[in-house]
Amino acid sequence: MPVTVSEATDAVRALEHLDLSDRNEVYLGLRSVLMARIEEQPAFNRCFEAFWKRQSETLPIMDGLLSPTPASPRDDLSQPGSLKVAGQKREGATLEAWVSEDDGAESEPLGVPGMSDRESLMEQDFSSFPADQLDEVARLAVEIARRLAAYRSRRRRPTRRRGVVDLRRTVRANLMRGELIELRRKERKRRKVRLVVLCDISGSMDLYSRFLLLFLYALQNVFGRVETFTFSTRLTRISDHLKGPSYRQVLRRLTDLRDWSGGTRIGECLADFNREWGARLLDRHTIVLVVSDGWDTGDPELLAEELLKIKRRAGRLFWLNPLLGNPAYQPLTRGMAAALPMLDRFAPAHNLESLRDLASHLRL
């Protein structure tokens, strides 16, 4: 195939506008740039297939962000006080168990799944993920977070770099010249949106909290403006806990938090948020994400009242429920029934594909 520097440059530019986790989209985008004749398609197909079979190479996307950090003796979770759930011995997964399971693999290089494996990971429910796939999930979570952060507004602004031609400004700039000598361009504005995430870490969320925390870690390190809180029987701000070079290191930091795998009082925790943080964080440019299964032991009327306060201050209010990925699920719990009328969007959060779909809805 006669691929020159010009075609290679166009291919790199095309990748900036493609979803790199969608193999078919990447295939079509590169084929439209690199193929000049239909006779070249068999050769292009062979090259494309050969490239994706190299599964042993590492993905160059934010490699440093997800590089594993060797464990130090002070991080040994077997020592007393690492993570204590008050008076409970749960059979479900807890944060301490997650970190302990993965410590043995930290010295191993991070592998990258092939495209078919990646597609299956995107659709696999979080509750069925084994611990040895945590690295791949972390990488995919970072890619999704980068896609969310790269979303641009429909409005455009003047630019001196590449972009579409602004016909009106171009004509106006060349009125006295008789010809369109100087082109003026415009590009889509990058949105200025703040995300506020409130994540449920109660016992009923044990099977999902592990992977949702990975997604929150990716958001915190990629997205420009994000504040993250966890809640169970109390509210805790974890934005600073999520900042770090390795997600394993972040999981160790989170062992210092209380109320893991405890009860759930969503209304009271939202009341604490509105009282302490609402006026400082919420405005018309803020999107609030509540991540919870809706199982609440508190007063549903208080939950509805506090959600209404958030809705009046924020630009949009979303509720992400992992149970919504089950076709048989119905939001019949008292807490979920009280929350639904206040929401701008009620969406699932049971796998990576559902989190990727957020990209088309996180807009004001």
Side-chain angles (χ1 to χ4, degrees):
M1 294 180 62
V3 179
T4 65
V5 175
S6 177
E7 282 84 5
T9 303
D10 291 341
V12 173
R13 291 177 176 175
L15 291 175
E16 296 179 357
H17 304 280
L18 300 176
D19 180 6
L20 299 184
S21 62
D22 188 333
R23 174 175 177 167
N24 187 54
E25 183 173 327
V26 174
Y27 170 81
L28 295 176
L30 293 180
R31 189 181 70 176
S32 64
V33 174
L34 300 178
M35 278 182 47
R37 298 176 301 134
I38 189 62
E39 291 80 8
E40 297 174 354
Q41 183 164 353
F44 174 81
N45 289 343
R46 289 195 300 271
C47 295
F48 189 84
E49 292 295 333
F51 176 81
W52 289 113
K53 287 182 180 179
R54 297 184 300 175
Q55 300 181 13
S56 60
E57 298 183 3
T58 57
L59 196 67
I61 296 180
M62 299 198 69
D63 202 19
L65 179 62
L66 289 178
S67 59
T69 303
S72 61
R74 70 182 61 183
D75 293 328
D76 185 6
L77 294 178
S78 63
Q79 299 299 323
S82 58
L83 175 66
K84 297 180 180 179
V85 180
Q88 299 182 5
K89 293 184 178 179
R90 302 187 57 83
E91 296 180 358
T94 63
L95 191 62
E96 182 179 7
W98 301 338
V99 182
S100 299
E101 288 173 359
D102 300 328
D103 279 346
E106 283 194 344
S107 59
E108 298 295 329
L110 300 185
V112 179
M115 288 304 297
S116 59
D117 296 333
R118 176 173 299 194
E119 292 170 2
S120 64
L121 284 178
M122 295 292 292
E123 299 175 356
Q124 187 172 352
D125 194 279
F126 288 146
S127 61
S128 60
F129 266 115
D132 58 0
Q133 291 181 326
L134 198 59
D135 293 331
E136 287 83 352
V137 174
R139 291 184 181 277
L140 294 176
V142 169
E143 291 183 24
I144 295 172
R146 292 190 69 190
R147 185 181 180 188
L148 295 180
Y151 173 75
R152 293 178 179 268
S153 169
R154 294 181 179 179
R155 295 185 178 182
R156 298 183 183 270
R157 64 178 182 181
T159 179
R160 295 182 179 180
R161 301 175 297 173
R162 62 180 182 270
V164 298
V165 176
D166 189 337
L167 184 59
R168 184 179 63 179
R169 294 179 62 247
T170 298
V171 172
R172 184 178 299 174
N174 294 274
L175 283 177
M176 304 302 295
R177 302 179 182 180
E179 296 182 2
L180 298 180
I181 300 176
E182 181 182 354
L183 295 180
R184 299 296 175 87
R185 298 182 179 274
K186 59 183 179 179
E187 66 178 359
R188 294 174 65 180
K189 291 183 178 180
R190 191 175 295 274
R191 63 179 181 178
K192 295 182 179 180
V193 176
R194 174 190 285 124
L195 289 183
V196 174
V197 186
L198 303 165
C199 184
D200 187 350
I201 58 171
S202 62
S204 60
M205 288 283 291
D206 269 345
L207 294 177
Y208 296 94
S209 296
R210 175 186 204 178
F211 300 97
L212 292 173
L213 282 172
L214 279 180
F215 181 64
L216 298 182
Y217 163 77
L219 278 181
Q220 193 72 52
N221 287 274
V222 174
F223 213 88
R225 307 169 66 195
V226 57
E227 289 286 345
T228 308
F229 299 81
T230 58
F231 66 87
S232 179
T233 56
R234 71 183 70 190
L235 181 77
T236 305
R237 179 178 178 271
I238 64 168
S239 300
D240 296 333
H241 289 74
L242 293 175
K243 294 179 181 179
S246 167
Y247 70 89
R248 299 182 189 276
Q249 185 181 45
V250 167
L251 289 180
R252 293 191 186 94
R253 291 180 186 173
L254 294 178
T255 58
D256 295 332
L257 301 180
R258 302 178 181 178
D259 296 333
W260 286 104
S261 302
T264 315
R265 297 178 181 176
I266 305 178
E268 296 180 12
C269 293
L270 293 183
D272 292 339
F273 171 79
N274 284 326
R275 182 169 53 254
E276 300 292 335
W277 300 93
R280 282 185 278 177
L281 299 181
L282 301 184
D283 54 33
R284 305 313 299 174
H285 299 286
T286 304
I287 297 177
V288 178
L289 304 179
V290 180
V291 185
S292 174
D293 55 8
W295 288 95
D296 186 18
T297 59
D299 184 1
E301 295 182 1
L302 177 61
L303 171 59
E305 179 182 347
E306 298 303 325
L307 283 176
L308 181 59
K309 293 179 181 178
I310 294 177
K311 183 177 179 63
R312 287 173 175 173
R313 285 176 169 172
R316 302 196 72 185
L317 175 59
F318 292 0
W319 190 297
L320 307 181
N321 191 331
L323 302 182
L324 193 57
N326 186 343
Y329 171 76
Q330 294 183 356
L332 301 179
T333 61
R334 296 189 309 161
M336 205 67 260
L340 282 177
M342 310 298 169
L343 306 178
D344 294 306
R345 181 169 180 79
F346 184 48
H350 63 295
N351 58 17
L352 289 168
E353 184 178 12
S354 64
L355 297 180
R356 183 176 61 180
D357 290 341
L358 280 177
S360 58
H361 301 287
L362 287 183
R363 62 184 65 177
L364 297 172

